[in-house]
């Protein structure tokens, strides 16, 4: 027939709605996987986002991005800022490459080796990405690309978010 299977086909959305109130419905483990992707963007694109993640810490997951404890407007503002900064970094990185025609993508950090061990090891995606980022940070330190203090901060943030 004339039909083709489009397995893996991608069509960029016309509109994306991101509302923190939806996060209330998610299990903390699933939120943690999203946080791994946000850490990735913070490491490669936005130092201020990295500092913000250090500031809000695991509460981002335990309070479900500020939807569990609604009487803290400062924390809610920080949660909105985390989401905005992560999304902005991603869009700025990927807008010209929506169909992934090239691999010069800074947000591929954490996805170098993890595809090879995520499923065989029975790991969930966020944990695999986090361990790959941690290993990447370690190798970057060994190569002299980042100082030990930066490597340690990456490792501590990944650990405090309970990703490794």
């Amino acid at each position: 027939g004339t039909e083709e299977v489009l397995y893996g086909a991608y069509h960029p959305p016309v509109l994306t709605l991101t509302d923190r109130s939806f996060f209330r419905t998610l299990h903390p483990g699933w939120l943690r996987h999203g946080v791994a992707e946000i850490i990735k963007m913070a490491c490669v694109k936005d130092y201020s986002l990295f500092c913000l993640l250090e500031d809000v810490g695991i509460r981002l997951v335990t309070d479900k991005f500020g939807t569990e404890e609604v009487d803290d407007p400062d924390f809610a503002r920080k949660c909105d800022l985390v989401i905005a900064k992560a999304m902005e970094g991603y869009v700025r990185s990927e807008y010209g490459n929506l169909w992934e025609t090239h691999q010069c993508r800074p947000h591929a950090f954490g996805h170098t080796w993890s595809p090879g061990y995520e499923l065989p090891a029975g790991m969930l995606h966020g944990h695999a990405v986090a361990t790959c980022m941690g290993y990447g940070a370690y190798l970057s330190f060994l190569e002299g690309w980042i100082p030990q203090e930066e490597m340690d901060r990456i490792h501590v943030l990944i650990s405090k978010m309970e990703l490794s």
Side-chain angles (χ1 to χ4, degrees), residues 6-147:
L6 294 176
Y7 182 77
Y10 172 74
H11 300 281
V14 175
L15 174 69
T16 301
L17 300 175
T18 305
D19 183 336
R20 283 187 303 108
S21 66
F22 295 141
F23 296 178
R24 183 181 304 121
T25 66
L26 297 175
H27 183 277
W30 294 116
L31 289 171
R32 193 173 290 113
H33 298 300
V35 168
E37 299 292 346
I38 294 172
I39 291 171
K40 168 190 71 179
M41 295 310 298
C43 287
V44 298
K45 290 299 283 184
D46 190 340
Y47 179 71
S48 67
L49 176 57
F50 191 91
C51 293
L52 185 59
L53 289 171
E54 288 179 314
D55 179 36
V56 296
I58 191 63
R59 186 172 173 204
L60 203 58
V61 174
T62 59
D63 284 0
K64 298 185 175 187
F65 281 77
T67 62
E68 295 288 292
E69 189 176 318
V70 293
D71 61 340
D72 188 344
D74 184 55
F75 184 66
R77 182 190 59 75
K78 289 178 181 180
C79 291
D80 285 337
L81 194 56
V82 164
I83 294 167
K85 285 178 165 291
M87 291 177 70
E88 178 186 22
Y90 187 84
V91 168
R92 286 185 185 276
S93 296
E94 196 62 32
Y95 186 76
N97 188 31
L98 293 176
W99 289 271
E100 298 182 358
T101 55
H102 63 79
Q103 294 302 309
C104 183
R105 306 164 53 215
H107 57 278
F109 181 52
H111 295 79
T112 305
W113 304 283
S114 61
Y117 62 79
E118 178 178 334
L119 294 178
M123 295 178 82
L124 295 174
H125 185 69
H127 292 94
V129 169
T131 57
C132 190
M133 287 188 295
Y135 186 58
Y138 172 69
L139 292 177
S140 294
F141 164 69
L142 290 180
E143 289 296 320
W145 297 335
I146 64 172

